Amino acid sequence: MVRQVNAFAGTATLLASAVLVSACGEAGSEDIGRASEALQKHGLSETFSTLGPIDPQGEFFQAQGTNGRSCATCHLPSEAWSITPRSIRSLFARTRGLHPIFNPLDADNPDTLDASTLRGRREGYSMMLSRGVFRRGGAPRAGAEWELVAVDDPHGFANLNRLVQWRRALPTINFPLGSATVNWDGGNSVGADQRAGLVNQATRNVTGGQQGAPAPAAVIEEIVDFESSLFTTRVFVPGVGRLDECGAEGSPELLALQEKRAGRWDLFDAWLDLAPGSCSHRGADKKRAQIARGQELFNAPKAPGGSCAGCHDSANNGTNVQNLTFDIGTASAQARTPDLPLYTFRNRATGETRQLSDAGRGQVTGLWSDLGAFKTPTLRALAARAPYFHNGIAETLDEVIDHYEVNLGFVFTAPERRDLLAFLEAL
Ligand code: HEC
Ligand code: HEC
């Protein structure tokens, strides 16, 4: 099996590339020294491709359109195939905001963007730079059960005829165990056919996000084959070591061998009640047992509505096997931060109104009940790709848990919260 060492969670891309080189046996000892220091401090996520070594010349990494962007511009191997605000800021600093990722397509407001000065670019791309979100949206869906009756957009671009919806780049990983819902709102889904949805997504990205002519079918097929071959998980946690030792199953190779099934997560079963000193030293074994306790909290009914694993039910992956989307309050008026828009939707039949910062699945289906609902995403390699949720409102995994306590009635004691966090950080 081919191992691709791709990601140092929370460290610079430069370091990750040093590790890529060291994997080929060409790095100097200094690079390797820095790499192992970072490993001990930040941990590591890795990608395994079922197609073998990753070819950086592949179509996923090539600009397909006219604006210099490729799929890998926004889906970085070193960030679990998403992109963090930290990397976007570093690209801005290195290129004075002239890197192709900075395109009016994702500006706060393309009408008022002053791309001719450094300051204009910094101010005009504030949403990408501050929280790593990209601008999506369009005309409110025609013929919907709802109508848009009021708009408050701090950037002044959205209006009654134009929704602006800010979205984090979803990681392009673990699809064989994933759902057929493609995109946060399922906007590119083709029924229950995941591959057709991914083909649709890639086709539209080349003509939209990359501003190209439609790509040849062979290019789209290569891109979809490639992304469907990627498995990414955390493999190393500081103070613990590798996550596939002593019977645990925390590695992308092991994930690739799993069948897609709904149910209990069991990655760390071998570490349940691990006696200190029975795997390695006592301190590490205590942390292993903690991760396993966190897994059990994730599996257990800790809210009136059920468990974390009840929605994130693709075992050891986290999407929903029935392709379900849910409204968990991430687009609610209470959760809104001042930089996000706020929309008022009215139900055409009942006159009832709802305020949301993003229409979610409701914009795709037109259904009142789908407003504010989003795809249930994979939860692997979370540590490599903060912030969280479609709009990046949770900066840390701790804030994710806060959100569930406030919005879904989950209750965790302080020690339980530490256990659950240890588990989420080990995914
Ligand atoms: C400018 C940044 C950018 C570029 C370039 C880009 N993406 Fe994305 N990608 C995103 C964002 C943002 C989302 C989430 C959008 C949404 O769901 O509303 C996303 C979502 C996706 C998804 C959905 C994943 C899921 O779990 O549903 C896939 C698949 C994907 N991208 C693949 C690609 C491919 C293939 C390319 C190249 C053809 C590409 N992306 C180019 C930013 C980008
Ligand atoms: C009712 C279904 C449901 C339950 C219960 C649920 N989730 Fe989620 N989860 C979702 C959905 C839907 C999203 C995406 C929401 C969004 O981004 O707007 C999500 C997103 C997340 C994310 C962010 C992932 C990312 O890529 O940004 C994390 C982490 C997460 N959930 C962990 C948990 C944990 C831990 C629990 C239990 C405390 C839990 N979830 C319970 C449906 C659920």
Side-chain angles (χ1 to χ4, degrees):
M1 283 208 249
V2 182
R3 176 182 294 282
Q4 294 272 330
V5 181
N6 276 325
F8 269 89
T11 55
T13 328
L14 185 73
L15 198 51
S17 55
V19 175
L20 259 180
V21 176
S22 77
C24 312
E26 289 162 19
S29 59
E30 204 173 294
D31 287 342
I32 292 169
R34 279 168 58 207
S36 82
E37 204 176 289
L39 181 68
Q40 297 306 331
K41 194 161 160 214
H42 300 288
L44 178 71
S45 302
E46 270 182 15
T47 293
F48 168 71
S49 166
T50 52
L51 293 176
I54 289 171
D55 172 12
Q57 303 306 317
E59 298 290 357
F60 190 91
F61 301 92
Q62 303 306 317
Q64 304 291 343
T66 56
N67 62 13
R69 289 170 160 185
S70 72
C71 308
T73 300
C74 306
H75 299 282
L76 306 186
S78 57
E79 294 186 330
W81 306 84
S82 177
I83 187 166
T84 65
R86 187 181 159 127
S87 285
I88 296 175
R89 287 195 290 267
S90 128
L91 285 174
F92 192 96
R94 288 212 315 261
T95 65
R96 300 172 60 81
L98 295 172
H99 186 277
I101 200 170
F102 303 106
N103 185 293
L105 292 167
D106 294 300
D108 298 356
N109 180 337
D111 292 346
T112 58
L113 171 73
D114 173 8
S116 68
T117 65
L118 178 63
R119 184 172 169 192
R121 294 190 290 274
R122 182 172 288 125
E123 287 173 0
Y125 291 109
S126 78
M127 292 299 280
M128 282 175 69
L129 291 166
S130 62
R131 60 170 73 210
V133 286
F134 296 85
R135 187 159 50 78
R136 296 290 181 268
R141 190 187 190 284
E145 288 179 355
W146 47 265
E147 59 187 330
L148 178 61
V149 294
V151 174
D152 168 11
D153 180 7
H155 308 290
F157 191 57
N159 58 43
L160 289 177
N161 301 310
R162 180 164 60 208
L163 287 167
V164 165
Q165 314 196 103
W166 292 103
R167 308 262 173 92
R168 297 268 302 125
L170 275 157
T172 53
I173 56 172
N174 307 337
F175 288 134
L177 299 176
S179 85
T181 304
V182 179
N183 289 111
W184 284 110
D185 53 13
N188 280 316
S189 305
V190 180
D193 185 342
Q194 185 193 69
R195 184 164 181 105
L198 293 176
V199 166
N200 198 20
Q201 190 286 330
T203 306
R204 288 196 192 171
N205 184 276
V206 170
T207 53
Q210 302 187 48
Q211 298 285 292
V219 169
I220 298 295
E221 293 293 314
E222 183 190 315
I223 289 174
V224 173
D225 285 346
F226 173 73
E227 62 189 4
S228 302
S229 80
L230 302 175
F231 289 85
T232 306
T233 74
R234 206 136 206 248
V235 294
F236 192 101
V237 163
V240 175
R242 289 202 60 91
L243 296 168
D244 57 0
E245 285 176 348
C246 305
E249 298 185 5
S251 82
E253 289 93 336
L254 291 169
L255 190 65
L257 291 173
Q258 287 202 9
E259 306 239 314
K260 180 170 158 181
R261 65 170 170 88
R264 186 179 168 270
W265 291 46
D266 58 10
L267 290 174
F268 299 112
D269 276 8
W271 291 356
L272 283 166
D273 303 319
L274 193 73
S278 62
C279 175
S280 66
H281 62 87
R282 297 177 66 84
D285 282 348
K286 279 190 183 155
K287 288 197 173 145
R288 291 188 177 100
Q290 177 178 48
I291 290 170
R293 285 198 303 276
Q295 172 183 283
E296 291 321 279
L297 291 165
F298 186 89
N299 284 322
K302 296 293 290 178
S307 63
C308 307
C311 293
H312 296 279
D313 72 351
S314 165
N316 302 329
N317 176 31
T319 55
N320 184 279
V321 295
Q322 291 164 288
N323 311 322
L324 295 179
T325 55
F326 296 97
D327 176 2
I328 60 162
T330 45
S332 68
Q334 299 113 280
R336 176 206 187 199
T337 49
D339 53 347
L340 291 173
L342 190 67
Y343 301 105
T344 308
F345 298 99
R346 183 161 60 207
N347 185 317
R348 290 180 195 270
T350 66
E352 190 189 339
T353 60
R354 269 195 88 180
Q355 289 197 309
L356 293 165
S357 57
D358 188 317
R361 181 121 187 93
Q363 161 72 355
V364 175
T365 62
L367 298 177
W368 177 252
S369 57
D370 279 343
L371 282 174
F374 294 89
K375 169 174 177 157
T376 317
T378 179
L379 299 182
R380 299 310 295 269
L382 285 167
R385 54 187 174 86
Y388 306 103
F389 296 133
H390 71 274
N391 48 11
I393 53 169
E395 284 190 25
T396 60
L397 290 166
D398 210 33
E399 287 182 23
V400 167
I401 301 179
D402 287 343
H403 180 89
Y404 281 108
E405 290 195 329
V406 171
N407 291 275
L408 264 65
F410 277 87
V411 181
F412 298 104
T413 63
E416 284 178 339
R417 175 182 280 253
R418 287 195 291 275
D419 294 350
L420 181 59
L421 266 178
F423 169 67
L424 296 174
E425 281 164 5
L427 288 177

